[in-house]
Amino acid sequence: MYLFNKNIKILIINGPNLNILKEREYFYSQKSFKKFKKKINFYSKNIFDIIFFNSNCEGKIINFIQKNKNVNWIIINPAAYSHYSLSLLDCLKTFKGIIIEIHITNIYKREFFRFKSLISLRSNIIISGMSLDGYFLSIDYIIKKCL
């Protein structure tokens, strides 16, 4: 069992339409975002300080990141903002910690316009196509690096 490390803070940020996972195409997830959040909290309980944020609004995501620059790690699924958001990329370039970019689906097996992620230009690690397990893999990676 790991002991809680209050000095390590992680933002888990989800972009548009991830709040309605269960309602989307079958390949996303049949779990609700609320249930998923509970599982992540349980999985990482007593290890790190995790702050969740989900928004369908690009500006709110940017404001949230700017207000929380003191964290060590960002796990972000920018969703559709991955493919065209220069403003989100510019914001993430000012972040000094480690960024793990998550894609629930394999973006290279989707429509051609999803093959490119601008956010990847700043991301340290990219996990694509592992469904919601990509978030748990990210937490495991952070545990190995920090504890």
Side-chain angles (χ1 to χ4, degrees):
M1 176 110 169
Y2 297 106
L3 298 176
F4 183 74
N5 188 335
K6 66 181 177 181
N7 296 321
I8 298 174
K9 294 185 176 163
I10 303 168
L11 299 181
I12 296 181
I13 302 169
N14 286 304
N17 298 311
L18 293 173
N19 59 314
I20 55 168
L21 278 179
K22 196 172 179 178
E23 299 169 39
R24 295 189 67 190
E25 295 95 333
Y26 74 92
F27 49 76
Y28 279 100
S29 177
Q30 292 306 303
K31 295 179 180 130
S32 71
F33 182 74
K34 192 175 181 179
K35 283 185 182 178
F36 165 70
K37 187 175 168 183
K38 281 184 182 180
K39 277 188 151 185
I40 285 283
N41 273 327
F42 180 78
Y43 189 73
S44 60
K45 190 175 182 176
N46 297 323
I47 302 174
F48 302 121
D49 184 10
I50 295 182
I51 303 160
F52 286 90
F53 186 76
N54 175 240
S55 181
N56 294 319
C57 301
E58 184 177 21
K60 288 183 179 183
I61 295 170
I62 291 167
N63 289 339
F64 180 76
I65 293 167
Q66 289 176 353
K67 288 178 185 172
N68 289 284
K69 286 188 177 182
N70 60 331
V71 302
N72 311 91
W73 298 80
I74 291 178
I75 299 171
I76 185 168
N77 184 338
Y81 295 139
S82 306
H83 315 293
Y84 67 86
S85 180
L86 290 171
S87 57
L88 183 55
L89 172 62
D90 288 345
C91 175
L92 289 170
K93 284 181 176 180
T94 68
F95 179 71
K96 303 296 183 217
I98 305 296
I99 297 174
I100 302 174
E101 180 181 349
I102 300 282
H103 298 282
I104 294 171
T105 64
N106 180 346
I107 61 173
Y108 303 103
K109 290 185 104 179
R110 306 272 317 269
E111 303 90 345
F112 75 92
F113 57 84
R114 296 185 195 270
F115 292 3
K116 176 95 171 148
S117 169
L118 294 178
I119 305 310
S120 296
L121 294 170
R122 171 52 185 92
S123 300
N124 301 91
I125 299 161
I126 302 159
I127 300 172
S128 178
M130 292 191 66
S131 189
L132 296 178
D133 289 342
Y135 292 89
F136 296 99
L137 185 62
S138 298
I139 297 294
D140 287 343
Y141 179 80
I142 296 169
I143 290 170
K144 288 176 186 172
K145 288 294 185 184
C146 294
L147 301 177

